[in-house]
Each structure stands twice: as structure tokens, then as C-alpha cells.
Amino acid sequence: MSIIARLSSWRWADRTHPWVRRWGVPLFCAVLGLPSVLSSAGESGVAEELALTLALTVPLLWRERRPMLVFALTTATAVLTAYTGSLDSANAGADLARLVALFNVGRFATPGRLLIALAVSLTQLVAWAAGLWGDSQPKFAARPEVLILLGMVTVTAVVGLGLATRLVNVVIAALQKEKEQQARLAVAQERARVSKEMHDILGHTLAVMVGLADGAAGLTETKPKRGAETLRTIADSGRGALTELRQLLAVIGDDNDRPHDGPLAPQPGLADLDPLIERVRAAGPNVTLGTDGDLTALAPGIQLAVYRIVQEALTNTLKYAAADTSSSVRVTVAHGTVHVFVEDTGPLRSPRARRRSTRSGRGLIGMRERAAIYQGQVTAGPNREGGWSVHARLLTIPPSL
């Protein structure tokens, strides 16, 4: 586990159980001070030592909310006890409590207040050193200057550790925010993908159903049997679209919401081009399909992309071309590249409507985005026969670096 990951886990545990650290640190300082309390001579000495130890440790409960106030209280208590000589100089709990207060000033206080706290702490050390050198026989060490130097290093290190902890918390918060942003971006991308899928499914199916309904309306009187077949084809198209939509929504939904009485159908591929073209033919246009190369060796993802591109191109033909339009679909695979050609002969129902839609509509944008996933591109425009042509090129093998 990396250092950042371990620190993040500790931070998460601390936020989950904040009372552990809040109460644990003052309690630990008080426990460290118990030997000094118990070693005090007389009941009055024990009571006084215990009261001063609590005066230094209890304020630590508010060390994060009011760091400067806690530092001021611990400093004032330490100065008072040093002046009166009422606190044992060997009280480790009291010393640790003062360092904890200074540490939290480094974590939470402003830089200006931190400098003030550091200056006060160093001044205390200097005053303590003056008291040591003023005694003819120092009680604490043969070389008090070493203790003073260690004390200054310790105070400075505690301040630096507080600043470092603040920096680490900032870095961890930034990483967590970035992770959340990436999660939101992934959700947005998934929604965009679902939106494109629904656009392709509904747009094509509705175009086919409208074309079939127009034909069925005239056949119900003259050719009732043919009209009934057309209506059944409309129903089959609607059921197929519902199946695809259920599958799509089940993929992005909760697994518990999926029906367990039947398996989901796979995403459409190149083997489904024939049924797709049959539905388009039933709606009016005459469509032919030609293939070249081993299409079955293509990955399912690129097969889905090719299927959707052909579907969208034929949907545009149904929307904007006349009923007697002829269309051709050709899919070729060679040298790691898939070429998709969809052409119709026109004429257009509306001269301008199709140009506006294919140049700026979601259909062409969706085709280009699908091709871009496989380092490809899509071009579309009018052809010499008065119709419209779409050419997509997709790479089956990523380009070498």
C-alpha cells in the first residue's frame, strides 16, 4: 500500500471515529503525568500536581476548534507553574500536552499566529535556560546547553510536523476530490453513451415504423393480407426496440432489478445487418448489402460500432429520402481497417432538411464519436446521383507508436 493510500485510510478511520483521537490524546498525556503526581510528597502535593496536570491536558479536547486558545491556556499554566515551582519538572504528560497544543497550532492556525506561538515557545526555552545557568548547581543536566538545543529542535520539529500534516491533508483532499470528479466524469460519459444508444435505437425504429405505417394505411383496403403483414412487422420492430432498450437500461441499472426469468440478448453485431436491412426494405427503400473480408473476426465492440453507423445512415435515408430510393450498404475489412459505405440515390423529400440534419444533428455526431473510439473518421455528403453518401473508416488494430 502506498503512503498516500495508507494516510487516506487513517484519515477515513479518524473521521469515522473522531472521538478516539479527541479523547485519547488528552487521556494519554494525563496517564504520562501520573508518575509525577503519585511521586509528589503529601496529600496536598498530590492534589496540586493532579490539578495542574488536568489544567494542561483537559483543554486539549478543544485543540482543533480553538488551537490558539488551547495553546494560550497551556502556556499560561506552564508559566504559572514554573514561576511558583508547583509542577514537577519531570512531568512528561505536561510537556507532551504543550507540544500537542503547539502541533495543532501548526495544523489549523494561520501563519501569523503560528509564528507568534513559535516565538512564545522559544522564549520560554530561553527563560528556562537562563534559570538553569543562574543556578550554581544545575539540577537537570551537567550540560544544560544540550538540553536547550534539543528543546529548540523539538519545538521547531513539532511546528514543522504540524505544517506537514496540514499539507498532507490538503493533498489527500485534492486527490479525493479528483477521484470524485473522475467518478462524475465516468457517470457523464456513461450517460452520453446511453443517450447515443437510445438515439440510435429509437430513431431507427420509429423511422421504420412510420414508413411501415404509411404503407399499411393504403394496404388495409386494397390488400388486407399484405396490410396485416405490415402491421405485424411494425409490432416486431417495436418489440425489438423494447428488447434493446431493456438490455441497455439493465446494463446501467442495479443487477437486482434485472429479470431472472430470461437471459439478456447480446448487443447487435454484423450478423444482425441482414435483419436490419430487411426492416428497412419493409418500410419502402430498396437496400442491398455487400461484404468483403472476414467480418466474424472483428471484436464485438467494433461490430456494434459498424452496426450503429449503418443503422443511423439508413435511418437518415428513411427520414429524408423519397420512398422509391435505392440504397447500398458495403462493409469491407482489409489490412486492419474496416470501411463502411452507405449510399442512396435520392431524391430528397426536402432539399435542405437533410443537409441541416446530417451536418449538425446528433446522428452524424454519434457516428463520428463511434468511429473515433477506433481511431477512425466519418465523412458524409451529397453524391453524384442526387442522394447521400456516408463513409466510415475504423481501425481494428491500434496504430503503432
Side-chain angles (χ1 to χ4, degrees), residues 214-257:
D214 288 341
L219 292 173
T220 52
E221 296 181 359
T222 59
K223 298 179 180 180
K225 185 176 180 180
R226 181 69 181 277
E229 293 177 354
T230 303
L231 292 176
R232 282 193 291 271
T233 303
I234 293 175
D236 291 339
S237 298
R239 280 191 291 269
L242 287 176
T243 300
E244 288 193 69
L245 288 176
R246 287 196 187 105
Q247 173 194 355
L248 183 63
L249 296 177
V251 169
I252 64 174
D254 188 0
D255 291 341
N256 297 327
D257 296 335

Side-chain angles (χ1 to χ4, degrees), residues 7-21:
L7 291 174
S8 298
S9 63
W10 290 348
R11 190 167 183 258
W12 176 84
D14 180 55
R15 289 188 171 184
T16 305
H17 307 286
W19 59 271
V20 175
R21 181 169 53 85

Side-chain angles (χ1 to χ4, degrees), residues 26 70 110 128 159 184 188 190 242 259 270 278 318 356 363 367 377 389 399:
V70 173
T110 61
W128 179 66
V159 172
R184 287 195 293 268
E190 182 66 13
L242 287 176
L270 296 182
E278 287 298 328
L318 289 172
R356 288 196 301 266
M367 287 191 287
Q377 59 183 2
S389 298

Side-chain angles (χ1 to χ4, degrees), residues 102-188:
L102 181 61
F103 169 78
N104 282 275
V105 172
R107 284 187 61 192
F108 301 106
T110 61
R113 294 181 177 181
L114 177 59
L115 289 176
I116 294 174
L118 180 59
V120 170
S121 299
L122 293 177
T123 302
Q124 283 184 283
L125 282 175
V126 172
W128 179 66
L132 285 182
W133 269 301
D135 296 336
S136 57
Q137 294 181 350
K139 301 178 182 179
F140 306 101
R143 300 188 58 185
E145 66 275 5
V146 176
L147 284 180
I148 296 168
L149 179 60
L150 290 177
M152 291 184 175
V153 170
T154 301
V155 168
T156 306
V158 168
V159 172
L161 183 60
L163 291 174
T165 304
R166 176 189 293 187
L167 179 61
V168 169
N169 289 334
V170 170
V171 171
I172 293 175
L175 292 176
Q176 290 177 345
K177 185 177 181 180
E178 181 182 2
K179 186 177 180 180
E180 293 173 358
Q181 289 177 344
Q182 290 176 351
R184 287 195 293 268
L185 180 61
V187 171

Side-chain angles (χ1 to χ4, degrees), residues 270 273 289-295 298 302 306 329-341 391-394 396:
L270 296 182
L273 285 179
L289 173 64
T291 61
D292 186 14
D294 187 8
L295 303 183
L298 296 176
I302 196 170
V306 172
V329 178
R330 184 159 51 94
V331 182
T332 63
V333 181
H335 307 295
T337 305
V338 180
H339 291 275
V340 182
F341 300 91
H391 174 214
R393 181 179 64 85
L394 299 85
T396 60

